[in-house]
Coordinates of all heavy atoms in Angstrom, one line a residue:
M24 N 10.7 0.1 4.5 CA 10.0 1.2 3.9 C 8.8 1.6 4.7 O 8.1 0.7 5.2 CB 9.6 0.7 2.5 CG 8.6 1.7 1.8 SD 8.2 1.2 0.1 CE 9.6 2.0 -0.7
F25 N 8.5 2.8 4.8 CA 7.4 3.3 5.6 C 6.1 3.5 4.7 O 6.2 4.1 3.6 CB 7.7 4.7 6.1 CG 6.7 5.3 7.1 CD1 6.6 4.8 8.4 CD2 5.9 6.3 6.7 CE1 5.7 5.3 9.3 CE2 4.9 6.8 7.6 CZ 4.8 6.3 8.9
I26 N 5.0 2.8 5.1 CA 3.8 2.8 4.3 C 2.5 3.1 5.1 O 2.6 3.1 6.4 CB 3.6 1.5 3.6 CG1 3.3 0.4 4.6 CG2 4.7 1.1 2.7 CD1 2.7 -0.9 4.1
I27 N 1.5 3.4 4.4 CA 0.1 3.5 5.0 C -0.7 2.5 4.2 O -0.9 2.7 2.9 CB -0.4 4.9 4.9 CG1 0.4 5.9 5.7 CG2 -1.9 4.9 5.3 CD1 0.0 7.3 5.5
S28 N -1.4 1.6 4.8 CA -2.2 0.6 4.1 C -3.6 0.8 4.4 O -4.1 1.0 5.5 CB -1.8 -0.8 4.6 OG -2.7 -1.8 4.0
K29 N -4.4 0.9 3.3 CA -5.9 1.1 3.4 C -6.6 -0.2 3.3 O -7.8 -0.2 3.5 CB -6.3 2.1 2.3 CG -5.7 3.4 2.5 CD -6.1 4.3 1.4 CE -5.4 5.7 1.5 NZ -5.7 6.6 0.4
R30 N -5.9 -1.3 3.0 CA -6.5 -2.6 2.9 C -5.6 -3.6 3.6 O -4.4 -3.4 3.7 CB -6.7 -3.1 1.4 CG -7.5 -2.2 0.6 CD -9.0 -2.4 0.8 NE -9.9 -1.9 -0.1 CZ -10.3 -0.6 -0.1 NH1 -9.9 0.2 0.8 NH2 -11.2 -0.2 -1.0
R31 N -6.2 -4.8 4.0 CA -5.3 -5.9 4.5 C -4.8 -6.6 3.2 O -5.6 -7.0 2.4 CB -6.2 -6.8 5.3 CG -5.4 -8.0 5.8 CD -6.3 -9.0 6.5 NE -5.5 -10.1 7.1 CZ -5.1 -11.1 6.4 NH1 -5.4 -11.2 5.1 NH2 -4.4 -12.1 6.9
V32 N -3.5 -6.7 3.1 CA -2.9 -7.4 2.0 C -1.8 -8.3 2.5 O -1.2 -8.1 3.6 CB -2.3 -6.4 1.0 CG1 -3.4 -5.6 0.3 CG2 -1.3 -5.5 1.6
I33 N -1.5 -9.3 1.7 CA -0.4 -10.2 1.9 C 0.6 -10.0 0.8 O 0.3 -10.1 -0.4 CB -0.8 -11.7 1.9 CG1 -1.8 -11.9 3.1 CG2 0.4 -12.6 2.1 CD1 -2.4 -13.2 3.1
L34 N 1.8 -9.5 1.1 CA 2.9 -9.2 0.1 C 3.8 -10.4 0.0 O 4.6 -10.6 0.9 CB 3.6 -8.0 0.6 CG 2.8 -6.7 0.7 CD1 3.6 -5.6 1.4 CD2 2.2 -6.3 -0.6
P35 N 3.7 -11.2 -1.1 CA 4.7 -12.3 -1.3 C 6.0 -11.7 -1.8 O 6.1 -10.7 -2.5 CB 4.0 -13.1 -2.3 CG 3.1 -12.2 -3.1 CD 2.7 -11.1 -2.1
S36 N 7.1 -12.5 -1.5 CA 8.4 -12.1 -2.0 C 8.4 -12.4 -3.5 O 7.6 -13.2 -4.0 CB 9.5 -12.8 -1.3 OG 9.4 -14.2 -1.4
S37 N 9.4 -11.9 -4.2 CA 9.5 -12.1 -5.6 C 9.8 -13.5 -6.0 O 9.4 -14.0 -7.0 CB 10.5 -11.1 -6.3 OG 11.7 -11.3 -5.6
D38 N 10.5 -14.2 -5.1 CA 10.8 -15.6 -5.3 C 9.8 -16.6 -4.7 O 9.9 -17.8 -4.9 CB 12.2 -16.0 -4.8 CG 12.4 -15.7 -3.4 OD1 11.4 -15.4 -2.7 OD2 13.5 -15.9 -2.9
G39 N 8.8 -16.1 -4.0 CA 7.8 -16.9 -3.4 C 8.1 -17.7 -2.2 O 7.3 -18.5 -1.7
T40 N 9.3 -17.4 -1.6 CA 9.7 -18.1 -0.4 C 9.1 -17.6 0.9 O 9.1 -18.3 1.9 CB 11.2 -18.2 -0.3 OG1 11.7 -16.9 -0.2 CG2 11.8 -18.9 -1.5
K41 N 8.7 -16.4 0.9 CA 8.1 -15.8 2.2 C 7.1 -14.8 1.8 O 6.9 -14.4 0.7 CB 9.3 -15.1 3.0 CG 10.1 -14.1 2.2 CD 11.3 -13.7 3.0 CE 12.3 -13.1 2.0 NZ 13.6 -12.8 2.7
A42 N 6.3 -14.3 2.9 CA 5.2 -13.4 2.7 C 5.2 -12.5 3.9 O 5.5 -12.9 5.0 CB 3.9 -14.1 2.4
H43 N 4.7 -11.3 3.7 CA 4.5 -10.3 4.8 C 3.0 -9.9 4.8 O 2.6 -9.3 3.8 CB 5.4 -9.2 4.7 CG 5.4 -8.2 5.8 ND1 5.9 -8.4 7.0 CD2 4.8 -7.0 5.9 CE1 5.7 -7.4 7.8 NE2 5.0 -6.5 7.1
T44 N 2.3 -10.0 5.9 CA 0.9 -9.6 6.0 C 0.9 -8.2 6.5 O 1.5 -7.9 7.5 CB 0.1 -10.5 7.0 OG1 0.2 -11.9 6.5 CG2 -1.3 -10.1 7.0
V45 N 0.1 -7.3 5.9 CA 0.0 -5.9 6.3 C -1.5 -5.8 6.7 O -2.4 -5.9 5.8 CB 0.3 -5.0 5.1 CG1 0.2 -3.5 5.5 CG2 1.7 -5.2 4.6
P46 N -1.8 -5.4 7.9 CA -3.2 -5.2 8.3 C -3.8 -4.0 7.7 O -3.1 -3.0 7.3 CB -3.1 -5.2 9.8 CG -1.7 -5.0 10.2 CD -0.9 -5.3 9.0
R47 N -5.1 -3.9 7.7 CA -5.9 -2.8 7.3 C -5.6 -1.6 8.2 O -5.4 -1.8 9.4 CB -7.4 -3.1 7.3 CG -8.2 -1.9 6.8 CD -9.7 -2.3 7.0 NE -10.5 -1.2 6.5 CZ -11.2 -1.2 5.4 NH1 -11.3 -2.3 4.7 NH2 -11.9 -0.1 5.0
D48 N -5.4 -0.4 7.7 CA -5.1 0.8 8.4 C -3.8 0.8 9.1 O -3.6 1.5 10.1 CB -6.2 1.1 9.4 CG -7.6 1.4 8.8 OD1 -7.6 1.9 7.7 OD2 -8.6 1.0 9.4
Y49 N -2.9 0.0 8.6 CA -1.5 -0.1 9.1 C -0.7 1.2 8.7 O -0.7 1.6 7.6 CB -0.8 -1.3 8.6 CG 0.6 -1.5 9.1 CD1 0.9 -1.9 10.4 CD2 1.6 -1.3 8.2 CE1 2.3 -2.0 10.8 CE2 3.0 -1.4 8.5 CZ 3.3 -1.8 9.8 OH 4.6 -1.9 10.2
V50 N 0.0 1.7 9.7 CA 1.0 2.8 9.4 C 2.3 2.4 10.0 O 2.4 2.2 11.2 CB 0.5 4.1 10.0 CG1 1.5 5.2 9.8 CG2 -0.9 4.5 9.4
G51 N 3.3 2.2 9.2 CA 4.6 1.8 9.7 C 5.5 1.2 8.7 O 5.3 1.4 7.5
E52 N 6.5 0.5 9.2 CA 7.6 -0.1 8.3 C 7.2 -1.5 7.8 O 6.5 -2.3 8.5 CB 8.9 -0.2 9.1 CG 9.5 1.1 9.5 CD 10.2 1.8 8.3 OE1 10.7 1.1 7.4 OE2 10.2 3.0 8.3
I53 N 7.7 -1.8 6.6 CA 7.6 -3.1 6.1 C 9.0 -3.5 5.6 O 9.8 -2.6 5.4 CB 6.6 -3.3 4.9 CG1 7.0 -2.4 3.7 CG2 5.2 -3.0 5.4 CD1 6.2 -2.7 2.4
P54 N 9.3 -4.8 5.4 CA 10.7 -5.1 4.9 C 10.9 -4.6 3.5 O 10.0 -4.5 2.7 CB 10.6 -6.7 4.9 CG 9.5 -7.1 5.8 CD 8.5 -5.9 5.7
D55 N 12.1 -4.3 3.2 CA 12.5 -3.8 1.9 C 12.2 -4.7 0.8 O 11.7 -4.3 -0.3 CB 13.9 -3.4 1.9 CG 14.2 -2.1 2.7 OD1 13.3 -1.3 2.9 OD2 15.4 -1.9 3.1
W56 N 12.3 -6.0 1.0 CA 12.1 -7.0 0.0 C 10.6 -7.0 -0.4 O 10.2 -7.3 -1.5 CB 12.5 -8.4 0.4 CG 11.8 -9.0 1.6 CD1 12.3 -9.0 2.9 CD2 10.5 -9.6 1.7 NE1 11.4 -9.5 3.8 CE2 10.3 -9.9 3.1 CE3 9.5 -9.8 0.8 CZ2 9.1 -10.5 3.5 CZ3 8.4 -10.4 1.2 CH2 8.2 -10.8 2.6
A57 N 9.7 -6.7 0.6 CA 8.3 -6.7 0.3 C 7.9 -5.6 -0.7 O 6.9 -5.7 -1.4 CB 7.5 -6.5 1.6
A58 N 8.7 -4.5 -0.8 CA 8.4 -3.4 -1.7 C 9.0 -3.6 -3.1 O 8.8 -2.8 -4.0 CB 8.9 -2.1 -1.1
D59 N 9.7 -4.7 -3.3 CA 10.4 -4.9 -4.5 C 9.7 -5.9 -5.4 O 10.3 -6.7 -6.1 CB 11.8 -5.4 -4.3 CG 12.8 -4.4 -3.7 OD1 12.5 -3.2 -4.0 OD2 13.8 -4.7 -3.1
T60 N 8.3 -5.8 -5.5 CA 7.6 -6.7 -6.3 C 6.6 -5.8 -7.2 O 6.2 -4.7 -6.9 CB 6.7 -7.6 -5.5 OG1 5.8 -6.9 -4.7 CG2 7.6 -8.5 -4.6
D61 N 6.2 -6.4 -8.3 CA 5.2 -5.8 -9.2 C 3.9 -5.6 -8.5 O 3.1 -4.7 -8.7 CB 5.0 -6.6 -10.5 CG 6.3 -6.5 -11.4 OD1 7.0 -5.5 -11.3 OD2 6.5 -7.4 -12.1
Y62 N 3.5 -6.6 -7.6 CA 2.3 -6.6 -6.9 C 2.2 -5.4 -5.9 O 1.2 -4.6 -5.9 CB 2.1 -7.9 -6.1 CG 0.8 -8.0 -5.3 CD1 -0.4 -7.8 -5.9 CD2 0.8 -8.2 -3.9 CE1 -1.6 -7.9 -5.2 CE2 -0.3 -8.3 -3.2 CZ -1.6 -8.1 -3.8 OH -2.7 -8.2 -3.1
F63 N 3.3 -5.1 -5.2 CA 3.4 -3.9 -4.4 C 3.2 -2.6 -5.2 O 2.4 -1.8 -4.8 CB 4.7 -3.9 -3.6 CG 4.8 -2.7 -2.7 CD1 4.3 -2.7 -1.4 CD2 5.6 -1.6 -3.1 CE1 4.4 -1.6 -0.6 CE2 5.7 -0.5 -2.3 CZ 5.1 -0.5 -1.0
R64 N 3.9 -2.5 -6.3 CA 3.8 -1.3 -7.1 C 2.3 -1.2 -7.6 O 1.8 0.0 -7.7 CB 4.8 -1.4 -8.3 CG 6.2 -1.2 -7.8 CD 7.2 -1.1 -8.9 NE 7.6 -2.4 -9.4 CZ 8.5 -3.2 -8.8 NH1 9.1 -2.8 -7.7 NH2 8.9 -4.3 -9.3
A65 N 1.6 -2.3 -8.0 CA 0.3 -2.2 -8.4 C -0.7 -1.7 -7.3 O -1.6 -0.9 -7.5 CB -0.2 -3.5 -8.9
L66 N -0.4 -2.2 -6.0 CA -1.2 -1.7 -4.9 C -1.0 -0.2 -4.6 O -1.9 0.5 -4.3 CB -0.8 -2.5 -3.7 CG -1.2 -4.0 -3.6 CD1 -0.6 -4.7 -2.5 CD2 -2.7 -4.1 -3.6
V67 N 0.2 0.3 -4.8 CA 0.5 1.7 -4.7 C -0.2 2.5 -5.8 O -0.8 3.5 -5.5 CB 2.1 2.0 -4.7 CG1 2.4 3.4 -4.7 CG2 2.7 1.3 -3.4
A68 N -0.1 2.0 -7.0 CA -0.8 2.7 -8.1 C -2.3 2.8 -7.9 O -2.9 3.8 -8.3 CB -0.5 2.0 -9.4
D69 N -2.9 1.8 -7.3 CA -4.3 1.8 -7.0 C -4.7 2.6 -5.8 O -5.9 2.8 -5.5 CB -4.9 0.3 -6.9 CG -5.0 -0.4 -8.2 OD1 -4.9 0.3 -9.3 OD2 -5.2 -1.6 -8.2
G70 N -3.7 2.9 -5.0 CA -4.0 3.7 -3.8 C -4.3 2.8 -2.6 O -4.6 3.4 -1.5
K71 N -4.2 1.5 -2.7 CA -4.5 0.6 -1.6 C -3.4 0.7 -0.6 O -3.6 0.4 0.6 CB -4.7 -0.8 -2.1 CG -6.0 -0.8 -2.9 CD -6.2 -2.2 -3.5 CE -7.6 -2.1 -4.3 NZ -7.5 -2.7 -5.6
I72 N -2.2 1.0 -1.0 CA -1.0 1.3 -0.1 C -0.5 2.6 -0.5 O -0.3 2.9 -1.7 CB 0.1 0.2 -0.3 CG1 -0.5 -1.1 0.3 CG2 1.3 0.6 0.4 CD1 0.5 -2.3 0.3
G73 N -0.2 3.4 0.5 CA 0.4 4.8 0.2 C 1.8 4.8 0.7 O 2.1 4.2 1.8
V74 N 2.6 5.5 0.0 CA 4.0 5.7 0.4 C 4.2 7.2 0.6 O 4.5 7.9 -0.4 CB 5.0 5.1 -0.6 CG1 6.4 5.3 -0.1 CG2 4.7 3.6 -0.9
P75 N 4.1 7.7 1.8 CA 4.3 9.2 2.0 C 5.7 9.6 1.8 O 6.7 8.8 1.9 CB 3.9 9.4 3.5 CG 3.9 8.0 4.1 CD 3.8 7.0 3.1
E76 N 5.9 10.9 1.5 CA 7.2 11.4 1.2 C 8.1 11.4 2.4 O 9.3 11.3 2.3 CB 7.1 12.8 0.6 CG 6.4 12.9 -0.7 CD 6.3 14.3 -1.2 OE1 7.0 15.2 -0.8 OE2 5.4 14.6 -2.1
S77 N 7.5 11.6 3.6 CA 8.2 11.5 4.8 C 7.3 11.0 5.9 O 6.1 10.7 5.7 CB 8.7 12.9 5.2 OG 7.7 13.8 5.6
R78 N 7.8 11.0 7.2 CA 6.9 10.5 8.3 C 6.2 11.7 9.0 O 5.6 11.5 10.0 CB 7.8 9.8 9.3 CG 8.4 8.5 8.7 CD 9.2 7.8 9.7 NE 9.9 6.7 9.1 CZ 10.2 5.6 9.7 NH1 10.0 5.5 11.0 NH2 10.8 4.6 9.1
K79 N 6.3 12.8 8.4 CA 5.6 14.0 9.0 C 4.1 13.8 8.9 O 3.6 13.3 7.9 CB 6.1 15.3 8.3 CG 7.5 15.6 8.5 CD 7.8 16.9 7.8 CE 9.3 17.3 8.0 NZ 9.7 18.5 7.3
D80 N 3.4 14.4 9.9 CA 1.9 14.2 9.9 C 1.3 14.8 8.6 O 0.4 14.3 8.1 CB 1.3 14.9 11.1 CG 1.5 14.2 12.4 OD1 1.9 13.0 12.3 OD2 1.4 14.8 13.5
K81 N 1.9 15.9 8.2 CA 1.3 16.6 7.0 C 1.4 15.6 5.8 O 0.4 15.5 5.0 CB 2.1 17.8 6.7 CG 1.8 18.6 5.4 CD 2.7 19.8 5.3 CE 2.8 20.2 3.9 NZ 3.7 21.3 3.7
D82 N 2.5 14.9 5.6 CA 2.7 14.0 4.4 C 1.9 12.8 4.6 O 1.3 12.3 3.6 CB 4.2 13.7 4.3 CG 5.0 14.9 3.8 OD1 4.4 15.8 3.2 OD2 6.2 14.9 4.1
T83 N 1.8 12.2 5.8 CA 1.1 11.0 6.0 C -0.4 11.3 5.9 O -1.2 10.4 5.3 CB 1.4 10.3 7.4 OG1 1.1 11.3 8.4 CG2 2.8 9.9 7.5
Q84 N -0.9 12.4 6.3 CA -2.3 12.8 6.2 C -2.7 12.9 4.7 O -3.7 12.5 4.3 CB -2.6 14.1 6.9 CG -4.1 14.4 6.9 CD -4.9 13.4 7.7 OE1 -4.5 12.8 8.6 NE2 -6.2 13.3 7.3
K85 N -1.8 13.6 3.9 CA -2.1 13.8 2.5 C -2.1 12.4 1.8 O -3.0 12.2 1.0 CB -0.9 14.6 1.9 CG -1.2 15.0 0.5 CD -0.2 16.1 0.0 CE 1.3 15.5 0.0 NZ 2.2 16.5 -0.7
T86 N -1.3 11.5 2.2 CA -1.3 10.2 1.6 C -2.5 9.4 2.0 O -3.1 8.7 1.1 CB 0.0 9.4 2.0 OG1 1.1 10.1 1.6 CG2 0.0 8.0 1.4
A87 N -2.9 9.5 3.2 CA -4.1 8.8 3.7 C -5.4 9.2 3.0 O -6.3 8.5 2.9 CB -4.2 8.9 5.2
E88 N -5.4 10.5 2.6 CA -6.6 11.0 2.0 C -6.8 10.8 0.5 O -7.8 11.0 -0.1 CB -6.7 12.6 2.2 CG -6.9 12.9 3.7 CD -6.8 14.4 3.9 OE1 -6.4 15.2 3.0 OE2 -7.0 14.8 5.1
K89 N -5.8 10.2 -0.1 CA -5.9 9.9 -1.5 C -6.9 8.8 -1.8 O -7.0 7.9 -1.0 CB -4.5 9.4 -2.1 CG -3.5 10.5 -2.2 CD -2.2 10.1 -2.8 CE -1.2 11.2 -2.9 NZ 0.1 10.8 -3.4
P90 N -7.7 8.9 -2.9 CA -8.7 7.9 -3.1 C -8.1 6.5 -3.5 O -7.0 6.4 -4.0 CB -9.5 8.5 -4.3 CG -8.6 9.4 -4.9 CD -7.7 9.9 -3.9
V91 N -8.9 5.5 -3.3 CA -8.5 4.1 -3.7 C -9.3 3.7 -5.0 O -10.5 3.9 -5.0 CB -8.9 3.1 -2.5 CG1 -8.6 1.7 -2.9 CG2 -8.1 3.5 -1.3
K92 N -8.6 3.1 -5.9 CA -9.2 2.6 -7.1 C -9.7 1.2 -6.9 O -9.0 0.4 -6.3 CB -8.2 2.6 -8.3 CG -7.8 3.9 -8.8 CD -6.9 3.8 -10.0 CE -6.3 5.1 -10.4 NZ -5.3 5.0 -11.4
V93 N -11.0 1.0 -7.2 CA -11.6 -0.3 -7.1 C -11.9 -0.9 -8.5 O -12.6 -0.2 -9.2 CB -12.9 -0.2 -6.2 CG1 -13.6 -1.6 -6.1 CG2 -12.6 0.4 -4.9
R94 N -11.4 -2.1 -8.7 CA -11.6 -2.7 -10.0 C -12.6 -3.8 -9.9 O -12.4 -4.7 -9.1 CB -10.3 -3.1 -10.6 CG -9.3 -2.0 -10.8 CD -8.0 -2.6 -11.1 NE -6.9 -1.6 -11.0 CZ -6.5 -0.8 -12.0 NH1 -7.0 -0.9 -13.2 NH2 -5.6 0.1 -11.7
R95 N -13.7 -3.7 -10.7 CA -14.7 -4.8 -10.7 C -15.0 -5.1 -12.2 O -15.7 -4.3 -12.8 CB -15.9 -4.5 -10.0 CG -15.7 -4.4 -8.5 CD -17.0 -4.3 -7.7 NE -16.7 -4.3 -6.3 CZ -16.6 -3.2 -5.5 NH1 -16.6 -2.0 -6.1 NH2 -16.3 -3.3 -4.2
G96 N -14.5 -6.2 -12.7 CA -14.7 -6.5 -14.1 C -14.0 -5.5 -15.0 O -12.8 -5.2 -14.8
D97 N -14.8 -4.9 -15.9 CA -14.2 -3.9 -16.8 C -14.3 -2.5 -16.2 O -13.8 -1.5 -16.7 CB -15.0 -3.9 -18.1 CG -14.7 -5.1 -18.9 OD1 -13.7 -5.8 -18.6 OD2 -15.6 -5.5 -19.8
K98 N -15.0 -2.3 -15.0 CA -15.2 -1.0 -14.4 C -14.1 -0.7 -13.4 O -13.7 -1.5 -12.6 CB -16.5 -0.9 -13.8 CG -17.7 -1.0 -14.8 CD -19.0 -0.9 -14.1 CE -20.1 -1.0 -15.1 NZ -21.4 -0.8 -14.4
T99 N -13.7 0.6 -13.3 CA -12.8 1.1 -12.3 C -13.4 2.3 -11.7 O -13.7 3.2 -12.4 CB -11.4 1.4 -12.9 OG1 -10.8 0.3 -13.5 CG2 -10.4 1.9 -11.8
T100 N -13.6 2.3 -10.4 CA -14.2 3.4 -9.7 C -13.2 3.8 -8.5 O -12.3 3.1 -8.2 CB -15.5 3.1 -9.1 OG1 -15.4 2.0 -8.2 CG2 -16.5 2.7 -10.2
E101 N -13.5 5.0 -7.9 CA -12.7 5.4 -6.8 C -13.6 5.5 -5.6 O -14.7 5.9 -5.7 CB -12.1 6.8 -7.1 CG -11.0 6.7 -8.1 CD -10.3 8.1 -8.3 OE1 -10.7 9.1 -7.7 OE2 -9.3 8.1 -9.1
E102 N -13.0 5.1 -4.5 CA -13.7 5.2 -3.2 C -13.3 6.4 -2.4 O -12.2 6.8 -2.4 CB -13.4 4.0 -2.3 CG -14.0 2.7 -2.8 CD -13.8 1.6 -1.8 OE1 -12.9 1.6 -1.0 OE2 -14.5 0.6 -1.9

């Protein structure tokens, strides 16, 4: 799966047997199993990882410009 990462994250597999580290500002492919977790979906919902519609510059730029939700306690803000 092709992604854009705005944070450094470690994506564990759903069974916990392996993990994939994604560096900050990474643009590229990750293993399909890494995208099949609730944690990955939560990172996408918060904007910490973006999944562009295609690999075209227009789509990747639009994805990179989306704000990131930051949660601290009861507060949620956007960066």
Side-chain angles (χ1 to χ4, degrees):
M24 171 175 274
F25 186 75
I26 65 161
I27 296 174
S28 177
K29 297 178 184 177
R30 300 282 193 275
R31 179 186 182 276
V32 294
I33 299 172
L34 301 171
S36 63
S37 56
D38 61 2
T40 58
K41 51 190 165 188
H43 183 75
T44 302
V45 180
R47 182 185 180 111
D48 298 326
Y49 175 77
V50 177
E52 291 286 330
I53 61 168
D55 288 335
W56 60 262
D59 288 336
T60 63
D61 291 333
Y62 181 57
F63 179 81
R64 288 185 279 281
L66 290 169
V67 171
D69 284 349
K71 293 176 179 133
I72 290 181
V74 181
E76 293 178 23
S77 71
R78 294 179 186 210
K79 294 180 182 178
D80 286 344
K81 177 181 157 185
D82 291 334
T83 56
Q84 185 67 29
K85 185 170 65 171
T86 301
E88 291 173 352
K89 289 183 180 177
V91 175
K92 291 181 186 174
V93 179
R94 300 170 195 268
R95 290 191 176 95
D97 293 340
K98 295 182 180 180
T99 300
T100 59
E101 290 186 354
E102 287 184 343

